Amino acid sequence: MTTEPTSLSQSDDAHWMALALAEARVAAEAGEVPVGAVLVKDGQLIATGRNTPVAQHDPSAHAEINALRAGAAALGNYRLDGCELFVTLEPCAMCAGAMLHSRLARVVFGAADPKTGAASSVLDLFAEPRLNHRTQVQGGVLAEDCSAVLQAFFQQRRSVAREQAEPLRDDALRTPVERFAALSDYAFAPHYVQDLPSLQGWRLHYVDEQRGEDGKVACCLCLHGLGEWGYFFRHLIGSPGLRTLVPDLIGFGKSDKPKRETAHRLEWHRDVLVEWLDRVQPGRPLVLVHSAAAAGLASLLLAAAADRFVAVLVAPDGRERIKDAWRAPYPDRGYEAALRALGPIASSSGPTAAQALTLARLARDAMGYSTS
């Protein structure tokens, strides 16, 4: 059952849902499924809650239940008359029942849950006429943001499971994910490929982010240079109207690090890129965006696959100070074979946010899409 909001404006709904999202992100950092909730009465925050079933060894410790318990304790009453609960995910049957028992006036949720949602997706307890309490329900508030937090969490889980299932060659190293945890502006879902013939069992990491509808976005291959990695394009990734494909060359960034310098030849990196493009972007035109340090590799790639690219753009250097980001992939010298073979850590920083917007516009222009 969904009704129009009554006691709070839509802007107020977004405000409270943003607080619930903050709780969800804390849950994610603790390894819990990222769901958060806040309890509000008369425009005042009464209590917050987030998922804690894992930490508490309690299957009932959903965000909503935790918020209801904290709110009842704060108000000194198990009846929560006049209260409104904001939760990032559609409540399950257990939580919906608890909400009805607590006599909430209103429930607002973000993302729908097609598997267990009990506010219309699987069933609608709030619309059950035989129950003796009516609670208003409003869904879809900040739904995209709420869904994105959940999707990123489960994508990371799948990536960890995949990493455990993807063996590391004896002659390679894999940078611990903790080395990248503190980097700002790079919270993108990781993708990996290991079964391409040219990879020979080494695992390549890449980012694949799209903002816009299929068929209406320009697709960019973003190629970092020697001594750099995909972080160079952090401000371009996620630009409106773009699909950004950002691989980390083997030996760099989050990709595997061969221990021997002999593995690193520009021609081999080119061959890997051509096979990888066949996998992730078959038969579609691309805009090649590369750093100045990637000019040599870009030339080899264009010579081998010129028909793939409709335009080539060189990304400017915004001259930000990000030395820590360039050092992150290399815990010690054992990881640095690519640097020794092809060149030292770069001093460039990648385009600024403003420069990235210009690049995005140029890429869309090259593909014939409107930039308005």
Side-chain angles (χ1 to χ4, degrees):
M1 176 178 68
T2 302
T3 64
E4 291 301 316
T6 54
S7 60
L8 292 175
S9 69
Q10 291 185 359
S11 61
D12 288 334
D13 285 354
H15 167 74
W16 296 120
M17 191 61 73
L19 293 185
L21 266 169
E23 291 294 319
R25 293 187 178 100
V26 174
E29 292 171 1
E32 305 276 2
V33 174
V35 180
V38 298
L39 187 70
V40 177
K41 184 173 184 179
D42 299 328
Q44 299 295 315
L45 179 65
I46 303 300
T48 64
R50 58 179 178 270
N51 266 6
T52 57
V54 176
Q56 294 184 232
H57 311 293
D58 181 357
S60 71
H62 287 196
E64 304 96 304
I65 301 296
N66 288 335
L68 292 175
R69 286 171 175 162
L75 295 174
N77 195 334
Y78 77 102
R79 298 295 195 202
L80 300 176
D81 295 315
C83 289
E84 299 171 296
L85 185 75
F86 295 80
V87 58
T88 57
L89 182 65
E90 181 182 356
C92 67
M94 174 186 71
C95 294
M99 293 170 191
L100 290 166
H101 280 299
S102 66
R103 301 295 193 265
L104 289 179
R106 185 167 174 255
V107 172
V108 181
F109 66 86
D113 185 351
K115 293 184 177 180
T116 63
S120 71
S121 290
V122 177
L123 71 159
D124 193 347
L125 284 180
F126 297 99
E128 173 53 59
R130 290 169 292 184
L131 297 177
N132 65 349
H133 178 71
R134 294 289 174 268
T135 294
Q136 294 181 342
V137 179
Q138 174 74 23
V141 175
L142 299 188
E144 291 186 4
D145 294 332
C146 295
S147 294
V149 171
L150 286 160
Q151 289 169 0
F153 175 81
F154 286 113
Q155 180 115 37
Q156 179 64 25
R157 270 196 174 179
R158 288 191 293 270
S159 296
V160 170
R162 189 183 303 116
E163 182 170 344
Q164 293 171 347
E166 293 174 344
L168 177 66
R169 283 179 46 152
D170 292 338
D171 59 351
L173 297 167
R174 191 168 286 169
T175 305
V177 294
E178 294 79 13
R179 293 280 300 180
F180 304 97
L183 297 181
S184 61
D185 303 319
Y186 211 73
F188 305 111
H191 299 268
Y192 297 97
V193 61
Q194 192 167 1
D195 61 347
L196 301 176
S198 290
L199 282 175
Q200 305 168 39
W202 283 308
R203 191 180 73 168
L204 180 135
H205 165 266
Y206 64 97
V207 170
D208 183 353
E209 294 279 334
Q210 177 172 315
R211 186 172 173 188
E213 299 179 22
D214 287 339
K216 297 182 180 180
V217 296
C219 187
C220 296
L221 166 60
C222 300
L223 189 59
H224 71 79
L226 309 179
E228 303 164 344
W229 57 284
Y231 189 79
F232 184 93
F233 296 102
R234 63 200 177 280
H235 294 311
L236 182 62
I237 299 171
S239 294
L242 286 190
R243 178 188 176 193
T244 43
L245 296 167
V246 189
D248 287 335
L249 300 178
I250 295 295
F252 299 93
K254 299 182 179 183
S255 291
D256 283 355
K257 315 293 188 303
K259 296 178 182 178
R260 296 184 181 276
E261 298 170 25
T262 53
H264 297 286
R265 297 178 297 106
L266 286 184
E267 292 78 8
W268 175 68
H269 287 290
R270 172 204 60 198
D271 294 343
V272 170
L273 288 171
V274 170
E275 288 184 4
W276 171 73
L277 283 173
D278 286 337
R279 174 71 60 84
V280 299
Q281 184 69 358
R284 297 281 298 278
L286 292 158
V287 176
L288 176 59
V289 182
H290 68 84
S291 71
L297 181 56
S299 295
L300 288 174
L301 183 60
L302 288 168
D307 58 333
R308 285 187 173 275
F309 301 101
V310 297
V312 180
L313 302 173
V314 179
D317 177 13
R319 301 192 182 279
E320 298 178 32
R321 299 183 64 181
I322 58 167
K323 185 176 181 180
D324 289 346
W326 293 148
R327 290 298 321 169
Y330 312 108
D332 59 52
R333 282 185 54 80
Y335 291 75
E336 297 178 1
L339 298 177
R340 293 191 293 271
L342 298 175
I345 287 179
S347 59
S348 56
S349 67
T352 64
Q355 291 169 332
L357 286 176
T358 300
L359 278 175
R361 176 181 57 79
L362 292 173
R364 286 181 55 79
D365 286 347
M367 295 293 293
Y369 295 122
S370 171
T371 56
S372 58

